[in-house]
């Protein structure tokens, strides 16, 4: 059975952000600014800034994010952002191709 992908269908995509942890504009903020629905598992982290301890929310897994969007719209952003990638799932025998995790 062949899998047919509809580029106009809104679905959840598992993405990977390769930016450093201290980047000013991580991918989840970039996508949120483009009015895309983004989910990132977060945790609270204590940091010291200018001698004061501050709680801030940071991603639980640095490079993991989920985006609810059409493939067509997301491809345009991925093409312009070299540090944003789709996560891939390898399936089947050794010589079979990779597919995108949906």
């Amino acid at each position: 059975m062949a899998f047919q992908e509809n580029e106009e269908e809104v679905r959840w995509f598992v993405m990977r952000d390769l930016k450093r942890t201290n980047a000013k504009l991580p991918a989840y903020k970039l996508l949120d600014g483009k009015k895309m629905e983004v989910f990132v598992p977060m945790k609270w982290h204590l940091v010291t800034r200018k001698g004061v301890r501050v709680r801030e929310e940071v991603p639980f897994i640095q490079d993991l994010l989920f985006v609810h969007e059409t493939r067509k719209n997301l491809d345009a952003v991925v093409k312009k952002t070299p540090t944003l990638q789709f996560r891939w799932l390898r399936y089947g025998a050794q010589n079979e191709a990779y597919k995108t995790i949906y």
Side-chain angles (χ1 to χ4, degrees):
M1 179 168 90
F3 175 75
Q4 298 207 357
E5 183 179 331
N6 182 357
E7 290 192 0
E8 297 298 324
E9 182 181 348
V10 176
R11 58 176 60 197
W12 285 100
F13 292 93
V14 182
M15 305 295 293
R16 185 174 179 203
D17 181 15
L18 300 175
K19 290 186 181 173
R20 297 184 317 269
T21 56
N22 61 348
K24 291 182 180 178
L25 187 63
Y28 70 93
K29 289 182 180 177
L30 172 79
L31 295 171
D32 196 43
K34 293 184 181 288
K35 305 296 184 216
M36 294 184 180
E37 185 179 357
V38 180
F39 171 74
V40 179
M42 303 292 265
K43 67 177 180 176
W44 288 101
H45 186 71
L46 281 175
V47 293
T48 305
R49 299 199 190 275
K50 299 180 183 178
V52 179
R53 291 182 69 162
V54 179
R55 269 181 44 172
E56 61 181 35
E57 206 171 15
V58 296
F60 185 74
I61 300 174
Q62 176 57 36
D63 69 342
L64 179 69
L65 60 142
F66 302 91
V67 183
H68 193 228
E69 189 60 57
T70 64
R71 176 72 185 247
K72 185 178 178 180
N73 291 344
L74 198 52
D75 276 341
V77 176
V78 170
K79 196 174 209 177
K80 294 177 186 175
T81 312
T83 57
L84 184 63
Q85 300 175 345
F86 290 97
R87 283 220 180 243
W88 300 96
L89 173 67
R90 185 157 181 255
Y91 66 98
Q94 257 184 338
N95 297 328
E96 287 190 36
Y98 289 82
K99 70 176 181 177
T100 306
I101 299 175
Y102 294 108

